[in-house]
Amino acid sequence: MTHKFSPERMARLESPERHRNFPPEQLLRRFGVGLREGEVLLDVGCGPGFFALPAARLIGPSGRVIGIDTAPEMVEAANGRAREAGVANLEVLRSEENTFPVADSAVDLLWIAFLAHELLEPVAFFRECRRVLRPGGRLAVIDWRKDPEAAEMGPALDERVGEEDVAEALVSAGLALSERGRWNRFTFYITAVRPAPDPGEA
Ligand SMILES: C[S@@+](CC[C@H](N)C(=O)[O-])C[C@H]1O[C@@H](n2cnc3c(N)ncnc32)[C@H](O)[C@@H]1O
């Protein structure tokens, strides 16, 4: 059962407990932000910017972070927080469920945190991710484990998505899996890349 996070609850996304369990800088560094100057990171389903703001700081002034979210309240909140914090290299835009306002092959790293369980059409969504990633570009998904031992934190188990289903949707969308694991007891991560085209492929 897919359940969208209500913008009315957005304060929960910045709780001290969340910062303790999912320190954003640590997660972002773990999956490669800041390794290359001038990178473009796209945070899909960025909410009020829990990852997008630290990502913009980590990526530095030569890099750029684009946040997108289907909820206009989240877009407004994230842009407001970026303005207040004086973060100039973050822009947050409204997107549609499976359509991003981003050019083909424009993104080096795609960040999908705590969104996979809300997707209505995972394969169509990940195809759109593939379109905006440059060949060789990377994608990281982190989400709640659908396992009774992980139930004590996060959404109800029947609102979560199985890790295997996410992996299958990524592969069906033409992405190549690279790494899988657990961030902590409650969450799994999967990283993938957009394969470089074969010679001669358009
Ligand atoms: C649980 S929140 C997580 C926010 C943020 N990634 C974080 O970890 O703090 C999920 C967010 O994804 C947004 N969302 C849901 N479906 C989406 C989609 N298909 N494309 C973009 N954003 C989406 C929701 O509006 C919400 O802001």
Side-chain angles (χ1 to χ4, degrees):
M1 187 177 61
T2 303
H3 184 89
K4 296 280 182 188
F5 188 88
S6 165
E8 285 168 19
R9 295 165 60 223
M10 77 169 83
R12 294 178 67 136
L13 294 173
E14 288 292 338
S15 70
E17 186 192 24
R18 209 164 180 244
H19 278 272
R20 261 195 318 277
N21 285 306
F22 306 107
E25 285 87 358
Q26 259 183 53
L27 268 110
L28 287 159
R29 280 212 178 88
R30 168 69 181 80
F31 296 110
V33 175
L35 292 181
R36 289 196 207 125
E37 286 198 11
E39 270 192 334
V40 175
L41 180 145
L42 177 66
D43 182 353
V44 189
C46 63
F50 182 79
F51 290 104
L53 268 86
R57 292 192 191 101
L58 282 176
I59 220 164
S62 70
R64 200 157 67 92
V65 175
I66 308 167
I68 57 177
D69 203 290
T70 48
E73 298 91 334
M74 297 294 197
V75 174
E76 195 185 326
N79 276 323
R81 292 183 66 227
R83 261 195 313 276
E84 268 171 37
V87 173
N89 57 343
L90 166 64
E91 178 186 25
V92 184
L93 305 167
R94 170 97 193 274
S95 60
E96 302 297 328
E97 183 66 32
N98 301 317
T99 312
F100 310 158
V102 176
D104 292 357
S105 307
V107 173
D108 297 286
L109 177 63
L110 230 141
W111 189 257
I112 304 169
F114 302 98
L115 164 62
H117 66 281
E118 296 190 17
L119 296 176
L120 302 178
E121 299 167 288
V123 177
F125 175 90
F126 288 128
R127 278 206 191 103
E128 180 68 350
C129 292
R130 185 182 188 281
R131 178 187 71 76
V132 300
L133 266 184
R134 68 165 167 78
R138 298 157 293 150
L139 169 154
V141 174
I142 178 162
D143 220 296
W144 301 105
R145 290 177 59 222
K146 194 178 173 83
D147 185 307
E149 77 166 36
E152 132 204 354
M153 189 186 294
L157 282 183
D158 69 350
E159 292 175 13
R160 303 186 189 194
V161 62
E163 178 183 340
E164 206 48 49
D165 293 336
V166 176
E168 279 173 21
L170 286 163
V171 171
S172 298
L175 294 152
L177 303 185
S178 38
E179 205 191 338
R180 288 170 70 162
R182 290 184 188 177
W183 174 255
N184 57 25
R185 184 155 68 85
F186 306 106
T187 47
F188 69 86
Y189 64 82
I190 304 181
T191 64
V193 294
R194 175 179 172 179
D198 291 333
E201 195 186 315

